[in-house]
Amino acid sequence: MIRTLGITHEHEIEEDIPLEQLDNPKYAWVWTDFNEPTPEESTLLDSFFHFHPLAIEDCLHVLQRPKMDYYEDLEFLVVHALDADTLDTTELDLFIGRRSLVTYHHKDLQEVNGAWTKVKQRAHNRKIWARGPMAAAYLVIDELVDLYFPCVFAIEDELDELESKGGRESVEDLMNQVFDLRGRLLKLRRTIVPMRDLMYRMVNSEHIQGEREPKAYFTDIYDHLLKLTDMLEADREMTADLRDSYISLNSNRMNSIMKTLTVITTVFMPLTLIVGIYGMNFINMPELNTKYGYFVVLGLMLALSIGMILWFQKRGWFK
């Protein structure tokens, strides 16, 4: 679907403008949105808008890394939207001209829909009208970045919950949850860090260097991405600490089990030696004919066991 929106010089909104009328001088600027376009509609990027072939190639061959390219009087941006449930990314391409904005995406994005609604609501605002396509592009990217926060907050909530129930679940289950969280944090980092680098390039770009107000707005988005990056790094450090804690806890439990088994084995070693000696049944073994030999050997074995246990306890093995 292709939808169009135009803002006239009288700050009025017109929608569903025929493509042939987009160059009408009555419009201060226009926004064309390719929402889940068909192959036939995608050909209009070349046949009607005459965008650069490399930019069109980037649109058709997803998934590109967030970036910004310049083509004559046109700025081409590739940004990413996040799916809050799967953390998968959807590419959004923006062509920003002096009097036009073209957005291209293969999936329906609520961020674009939200920005579309805001432009319609704020058409009377002279600043929105004066900044034109750059203002609409800012609204789109701001909507994208705002929806990054719930994804990061959800992981932080899971981390807090995981930290609080550390002793109530098996170490194996806890470790699986930690590695799952680290994998999701890595997916977020692969999206947010390139977006941060893109915004840094934009706020330092000569193309908007002289326009203080647009630069200030994009700097605000860059600050949000810096905050998100710091949150991701803090969460990754927390998962690393939890992982190390669980590994240490598991090692301590294994050491305790091994210590218990070692004590039992050590206690039975001399008893096994005694039983082995008197289990050989040689004829010339005087102790076999002793009347109370059986009870003496049992008492000796019991005394040895008690003595070794008391000695281990004195050495602090049971602490």
Side-chain angles (χ1 to χ4, degrees):
M1 181 182 69
I2 299 177
R3 55 180 175 174
T4 55
L5 178 150
I7 298 183
T8 67
H9 293 280
E10 291 75 27
H11 307 179
E12 295 179 354
I13 290 289
E14 292 186 13
E15 292 189 84
D16 300 325
I17 306 169
L19 295 181
E20 296 76 11
Q21 298 295 322
L22 294 181
D23 291 334
N24 194 317
K26 74 173 183 177
Y27 299 116
W29 59 276
V30 293
W31 180 0
T32 305
D33 180 42
F34 285 76
N35 185 11
E36 299 179 287
T38 64
E40 292 76 14
E41 291 172 338
S42 297
T43 60
L44 295 174
L45 295 175
D46 180 29
S47 61
F48 181 81
F49 291 98
H50 306 294
F51 292 139
H52 196 281
L54 292 178
I56 297 176
E57 182 180 357
D58 288 339
C59 292
L60 300 179
H61 297 84
V62 294
L63 188 61
Q64 302 293 326
R65 184 181 178 88
K67 65 176 183 177
M68 177 173 62
D69 293 325
Y70 304 112
Y71 299 102
E72 297 179 356
D73 295 332
L74 187 73
E75 295 180 20
F76 173 66
L77 298 180
V78 177
V79 294
H80 286 173
L82 268 178
D83 186 320
D85 296 325
T86 63
L87 300 183
D88 292 332
T89 55
T90 300
E91 181 178 318
L92 171 63
D93 305 297
L94 299 94
F95 298 86
I96 309 172
R98 292 182 178 178
R99 295 184 57 250
S100 66
L101 170 67
V102 176
T103 52
Y104 183 95
H105 46 101
H106 291 280
K107 294 182 179 180
D108 185 49
L109 297 176
Q110 60 174 322
E111 297 91 336
V112 177
N113 297 331
W116 188 276
T117 301
K118 287 182 179 180
V119 169
K120 292 166 57 178
Q121 293 173 345
R122 303 177 185 179
H124 63 280
N125 188 323
R126 187 180 180 279
K127 292 181 179 180
I128 296 290
W129 173 79
R131 294 200 308 272
M134 189 62 71
Y138 159 75
L139 290 175
V140 172
I141 299 174
D142 187 55
E143 289 282 331
L144 289 177
V145 174
D146 284 345
L147 289 182
Y148 291 173
F149 280 95
C151 301
V152 178
F153 289 151
I155 291 182
E156 288 194 334
D157 291 340
E158 291 186 41
L159 276 174
D160 293 338
E161 183 180 357
L162 189 62
E163 191 175 16
S164 63
K165 66 180 181 182
R168 299 196 299 270
E169 293 188 10
S170 67
V171 174
E172 183 178 357
D173 291 339
L174 293 172
M175 289 290 287
N176 289 335
Q177 295 180 50
V178 167
F179 282 112
D180 177 66
L181 288 174
R182 285 183 66 85
R184 290 158 62 189
L185 286 170
L186 181 60
K187 291 183 70 174
L188 283 173
R189 192 176 188 278
R190 287 174 178 171
T191 300
I192 293 175
V193 171
M195 285 289 292
R196 179 200 65 188
D197 297 339
L198 171 62
M199 287 300 104
Y200 178 80
R201 184 181 174 189
M202 286 194 68
V203 298
N204 291 280
S205 170
E206 295 180 357
H207 287 250
I208 61 173
Q209 186 73 28
E211 304 177 24
R212 295 183 179 179
E213 194 168 9
K215 181 181 177 181
Y217 279 94
F218 285 107
T219 300
D220 181 66
I221 297 179
Y222 176 66
D223 291 339
H224 290 170
L225 290 168
L226 280 179
K227 181 179 179 181
L228 285 167
T229 305
D230 292 340
M231 292 170 64
L232 285 178
E233 294 303 323
D235 291 341
R236 282 174 58 83
E237 290 180 5
M238 184 179 294
T239 57
D241 292 341
L242 287 174
R243 178 193 60 193
D244 295 341
S245 298
Y246 294 151
I247 291 175
S248 299
L249 179 61
N250 192 43
S251 298
N252 289 335
R253 289 179 178 176
M254 289 298 298
N255 289 338
S256 178
I257 293 172
M258 292 302 297
K259 184 170 62 176
T260 301
L261 295 176
T262 301
V263 168
I264 294 174
T265 303
T266 306
V267 169
F268 276 91
M269 283 176 62
L271 307 185
T272 304
L273 174 63
I274 294 173
V275 172
I277 291 175
Y278 289 102
M280 292 185 291
N281 295 323
F282 287 112
I283 296 177
N284 296 321
M285 292 184 69
E287 295 86 351
L288 297 179
N289 299 320
T290 304
K291 182 177 180 180
Y292 299 104
Y294 174 72
F295 301 103
V296 171
V297 172
L298 285 181
L300 176 62
M301 294 169 66
L302 180 61
L304 277 173
S305 300
I306 295 174
M308 293 181 70
I309 291 173
L310 292 176
W311 184 68
F312 291 150
Q313 186 176 14
K314 184 178 180 181
R315 295 291 301 270
W317 281 32
F318 300 114
K319 292 183 180 180

